[in-house]
Amino acid sequence: MGDRIDRHRRFLLLGGASALALGAVPARAALDPTPRQTRGPFYPDKLPLDSDNDLVRVDGRAALAAGVITDLTGRVLDPSGQPVDDARIEIWQCDANGRYHHANARQAGRDPNFQGFGTFTTGSDGRYRFRTIRPVPYPGRTPHIHFRVVAPGTRELITQMYIAGHPGNANDWILRSAGEARSRLLVEFRPADDADAEQQARFDIVVG
């Protein structure tokens, strides 16, 4: 148990550049903006006391969240490809049983060990990192993670990230609403390099 807690602390401390080995964005005249998506009905109506970037462990509870633990990383960029400093990123998603932490969501079977909501603020390199679970489907929706990005000098961005190749994507009306731009919301999930996770995914976000 002590080793697992130590790994958890290292994860939180390594949320910056030293924890990531992300490649540079190819030089382009302009990057396409990340498509905007609906906020949805289940943005937390009461923010949890524990809202750090590790969603699979709740303060005061020994057990980890159910689900496939995923190392989710990326960068926040402006349209010229430059990293955005001091961007606040919020993510929220349902637990492995398809339950959100929201008063109007179905609560029966909710995983008490899943934080459900997390935050991270970028540094000068624009990088972010979360430890969460691979998103799961629930009736009417393909697997997804909600993002809210508030960056200096830009309009608030609310979007959603999806699993590339998931069979539920074809019938998800919110994903389909992005039209041809929906490819910029699809992310590959691969085996993780980090021992603290089972899978990893990278989602770069362009604001502005």
Side-chain angles (χ1 to χ4, degrees):
M1 179 65 70
D3 290 344
R4 191 161 61 181
I5 293 173
D6 287 343
R7 288 199 301 271
H8 168 66
R9 289 171 177 164
R10 287 200 300 272
F11 180 88
L12 296 176
L13 291 173
L14 294 176
S18 62
L20 305 173
L22 303 179
V25 174
R28 293 181 56 179
L31 296 178
D32 294 322
T34 298
R36 297 180 182 275
Q37 295 259 276
T38 178
R39 183 189 188 104
F42 297 130
Y43 180 85
D45 50 348
K46 184 177 181 180
L47 296 181
L49 295 177
D50 187 3
S51 58
D52 59 15
N53 66 327
D54 188 346
L55 281 67
V56 305
R57 184 185 291 280
V58 175
D59 281 350
R61 303 189 68 89
L64 296 178
V68 178
I69 297 177
T70 299
D71 190 11
L72 174 60
T73 61
R75 293 204 293 174
V76 179
L77 307 168
D78 68 18
S80 67
Q82 295 302 305
V84 177
D85 187 13
D86 199 31
R88 175 182 167 86
I89 304 172
E90 300 175 353
I91 67 169
W92 65 100
Q93 66 184 106
C94 69
D95 64 22
N97 301 317
R99 308 290 191 262
Y100 279 94
H101 289 222
H102 191 283
N104 294 331
R106 183 180 177 188
Q107 296 298 302
R110 184 170 68 83
D111 181 3
N113 299 314
F114 184 57
Q115 192 169 290
F117 174 87
T119 63
F120 191 95
T121 300
T122 63
S124 59
D125 57 6
R127 302 179 194 270
Y128 72 85
R129 187 184 188 190
F130 291 96
R131 185 165 72 150
T132 186
I133 61 170
R134 178 185 171 106
V136 301
Y138 57 85
R141 291 303 314 274
T142 196
H144 61 282
I145 297 176
H146 297 265
F147 279 74
R148 176 175 180 258
V149 183
V150 180
T154 67
R155 177 185 168 197
E156 173 191 79
L157 171 67
I158 294 177
T159 191
Q160 298 180 35
M161 185 201 82
Y162 302 85
I163 301 173
H166 192 278
N169 293 347
N171 296 318
D172 190 278
W173 70 273
I174 296 178
L175 174 57
R176 290 170 57 190
S177 71
E180 294 182 358
R182 63 183 177 273
S183 62
R184 299 199 293 277
L185 301 175
L186 301 174
V187 174
E188 297 284 347
F189 281 67
R190 299 185 173 90
D193 298 327
D194 193 316
D196 284 336
E198 299 166 80
Q199 294 193 347
Q200 62 187 18
R202 173 178 172 177
F203 181 45
D204 287 343
I205 301 167
V206 181
V207 298

